[in-house]
């Protein structure tokens, strides 16, 4: 393997830069030329490709976002689009491609390797933590800390006003951001797509809490369940308590990556390069029980993400 390419695709996540840095420097260390592909699969189709050296990735480990930029690309979903991508890879002499992104980006990599003679390795880069095969994805920990900071601030104001406060967090269809921040932020209720919730029960908990002397009530709501504004209105109507909704939005995707995300990204980036050197393809890298693992991309994509019931139950017990 003489030349490899690296791209970031789908939603950005803090720690993607640390992963790019690890890929580039590990590659160079092994005598491999590393090409950076801008704007995900879209830049690949357009040939937005340039060589990365050690200094190209200097001073980025602490930066959020991705220096390679990211994009979503409909054309790559078509066989014709992928054929075009393969031709571009051939022109640049790229034999192996490291894709940093989520399940959509991995599906693209899987199809590219199925259809053409190009080796692909996937690195989990998404704040959602929605990939079942890995305990954590790059960016999740930073997003948790960003949300937690917001929750702490909301606590101050909702306590002063003795209000109910709903914080809507990202995660697409996955409730992990809500579950982890709800537990860490001491929320009274956590509402996630993976668990049924009963609106009347929720209101009862709020009213009972008020009677027990709770000065505020914090609800962390995963975006996959529904809108926070609508829920706030309904709660106010039923409980008679002032309720405010805060949608944290894209703030959750930014910021300097935490130590955890930087270390995870560095370990995964280095392992991805090793796999290509070993001649492996259609693998994804991840972390389980603090060990770096790799497995077949098709198997990884077929795994169903399970919610951590222990964490969910613990949060319930501790919120009382
Ligand atoms: P993520 O990787 O974060 O899940 P997306 O689902 O938006 O983000 O996917 C990112 C990109 O991956 C898409 O814009 C597309 O270029 C590529 N992709 C997604 N799904 C497929 C698919 N079924 N086949 C080929 N490429 C895909
Ligand atoms: O996948 C990351 C994520 O931030 C999700 O949590 C969210 O639903 C989605 O991307 C938002 O996408 P966009 O940046 O296109 O608004």
């Amino acid at each position: 393997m003489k030349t490899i390419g690296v791209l970031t695709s789908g939603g950005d996540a803090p720690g993607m830069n640390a992963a790019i840095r690890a890929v580039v420097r590990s590659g160079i260390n092994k005598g491999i030329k590393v090409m950076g592909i801008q704007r995900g699969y879209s830049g690949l189709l357009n040939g937005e490709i340039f060589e990365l050296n050690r200094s190209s990735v200097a001073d980025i480990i602490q930066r959020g976002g991705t220096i390679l930029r990211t994009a979503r690309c409909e054309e790559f979903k078509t066989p014709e689009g992928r054929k075009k991508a393969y031709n571009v890879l051939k022109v640049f002499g790229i034999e192996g491609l490291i894709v940093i992104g989520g399940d959509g980006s991995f599906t693209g990599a899987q199809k590219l390797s199925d259809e053409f003679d190009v080796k692909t390795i996937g690195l989990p880069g998404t704040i959602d933590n929605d990939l079942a095969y890995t305990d954590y994805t790059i960016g999740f920990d930073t997003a948790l800390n960003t949300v937690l900071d917001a929750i702490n601030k909301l606590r101050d104001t909702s306590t002063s006003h003795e209000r109910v406060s709903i914080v809507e967090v990202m995660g697409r269809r996955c409730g992990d951001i809500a579950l982890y921040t709800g537990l860490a932020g001491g929320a009274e209720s956590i509402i996630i797509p993976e668990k049924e919730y009963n609106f009347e029960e929720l209101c009862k908990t709020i009213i009972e809490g008020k009677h027990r002397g709770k000065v505020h009530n914090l609800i962390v709501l995963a975006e996959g369940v529904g809108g926070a504004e609508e829920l706030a209105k309904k709660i106010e109507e039923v409980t008679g308590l002032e309720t405010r909704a805060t949608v944290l939005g894209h703030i959750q995707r930014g910021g300097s990556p935490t130590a955890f995300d930087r270390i995870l990204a560095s370990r995964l980036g280095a392992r991805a390069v090793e796999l290509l050197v070993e001649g492996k393809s259609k693998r994804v890298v991840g972390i389980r029980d603090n060990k770096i693992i790799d497995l077949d991309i098709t198997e990884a994509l077929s795994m169903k993400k399970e919610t951590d019931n222990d964490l969910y139950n613990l949060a319930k017990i501790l919120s009382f």
Side-chain angles (χ1 to χ4, degrees):
M1 179 95 21
K2 289 197 182 71
T3 307
I4 64 172
V6 57
L7 60 81
T8 48
S9 167
D12 65 348
M16 279 185 163
N17 280 329
I20 296 166
R21 174 180 177 270
V23 167
V24 172
R25 293 199 172 163
S26 307
I28 292 170
N29 182 259
K30 293 182 185 306
I32 294 169
K33 191 165 151 185
V34 185
M35 308 296 284
I37 301 163
Q38 287 191 302
R39 298 180 183 83
Y41 293 123
S42 162
L44 173 56
L45 291 178
N46 298 326
E48 295 174 54
I49 301 172
F50 56 96
E51 188 173 346
L52 294 168
N53 56 37
R54 283 181 176 278
S55 59
S56 323
V57 291
D59 203 26
I60 65 166
I61 196 166
Q62 79 286 8
R63 280 163 55 187
T66 159
I67 59 158
L68 290 176
R69 311 279 179 256
T70 185
R72 293 191 168 104
C73 173
E74 283 306 307
E75 194 181 349
F76 192 76
K77 291 184 179 172
T78 66
E80 299 74 37
R82 291 192 293 277
K83 171 85 176 113
K84 206 162 131 189
Y86 174 63
N87 289 337
V88 175
L89 288 171
K90 264 188 27 190
V91 167
F92 283 86
I94 297 172
E95 302 148 278
L97 181 64
I98 294 178
V99 172
I100 308 171
D103 57 350
S105 306
F106 286 2
T107 307
Q110 175 196 35
K111 288 188 178 172
L112 189 68
S113 282
D114 277 344
E115 292 160 0
F116 303 101
D117 178 26
V118 55
K119 295 186 164 47
T120 52
I121 306 289
L123 247 92
T126 164
I127 63 164
D128 298 339
N129 209 39
D130 57 350
L131 296 165
Y133 78 91
T134 181
D135 290 345
Y136 299 109
T137 56
I138 299 166
F140 175 62
D141 186 64
T142 306
L144 293 185
N145 284 288
T146 303
V147 172
L148 209 51
D149 180 52
I151 285 179
N152 291 340
K153 288 173 176 150
L154 285 166
R155 230 175 216 288
D156 292 345
T157 169
S158 62
T159 304
S160 307
H161 287 263
E162 299 181 67
R163 279 172 174 160
V164 178
S165 184
I166 305 176
V167 189
E168 183 185 310
V169 300
M170 279 187 167
R172 214 171 279 204
R173 289 169 300 277
C174 177
D176 274 21
I177 296 180
L179 174 57
Y180 282 66
T181 56
L183 175 63
E188 271 68 32
S189 305
I190 298 171
I191 308 177
I192 56 176
E194 298 88 343
K195 298 274 176 196
E196 290 269 316
Y197 93 98
N198 180 300
F199 176 70
E200 281 70 36
E201 272 297 314
L202 177 71
C203 291
K204 193 164 160 252
T205 310
I206 294 169
I207 294 164
E208 283 174 354
K210 182 84 182 165
H211 289 159
R212 280 203 315 275
K214 273 190 189 276
V215 283
H216 64 83
N217 196 293
L218 177 72
I219 301 165
V220 182
L221 171 74
E223 65 173 350
V225 179
E229 288 287 353
E230 199 189 328
L231 183 61
K233 279 200 190 85
K234 278 171 63 185
I235 289 175
E236 220 169 55
E237 266 168 33
V238 174
T239 64
L241 297 171
E242 250 193 328
T243 306
R244 294 287 186 271
T246 306
V247 180
L248 292 184
H250 288 84
I251 280 179
Q252 296 162 91
R253 289 240 296 264
S256 180
T258 57
F260 181 90
D261 274 332
R262 295 182 199 194
I263 293 165
L264 177 64
S266 302
R267 293 173 78 188
L268 294 180
R271 183 66 189 130
V273 172
E274 270 173 19
L275 288 171
L276 285 178
V277 170
E278 289 164 15
K280 304 267 173 55
S281 180
K282 284 214 296 172
R283 309 286 293 172
V284 288
V285 288
I287 187 164
R288 270 192 219 151
D289 301 327
N290 203 26
K291 299 263 184 310
I292 299 302
I293 52 127
D294 63 275
L295 78 161
D296 179 72
I297 201 163
T298 308
E299 192 188 335
L301 286 171
S302 70
M303 287 169 70
K304 192 178 169 320
K305 169 93 186 170
E306 303 286 348
T307 307
D308 190 328
N309 287 321
D310 291 341
L311 276 193
Y312 185 77
N313 292 332
L314 179 64
K316 267 199 156 167
I317 292 166
L318 300 184
S319 70
F320 188 72

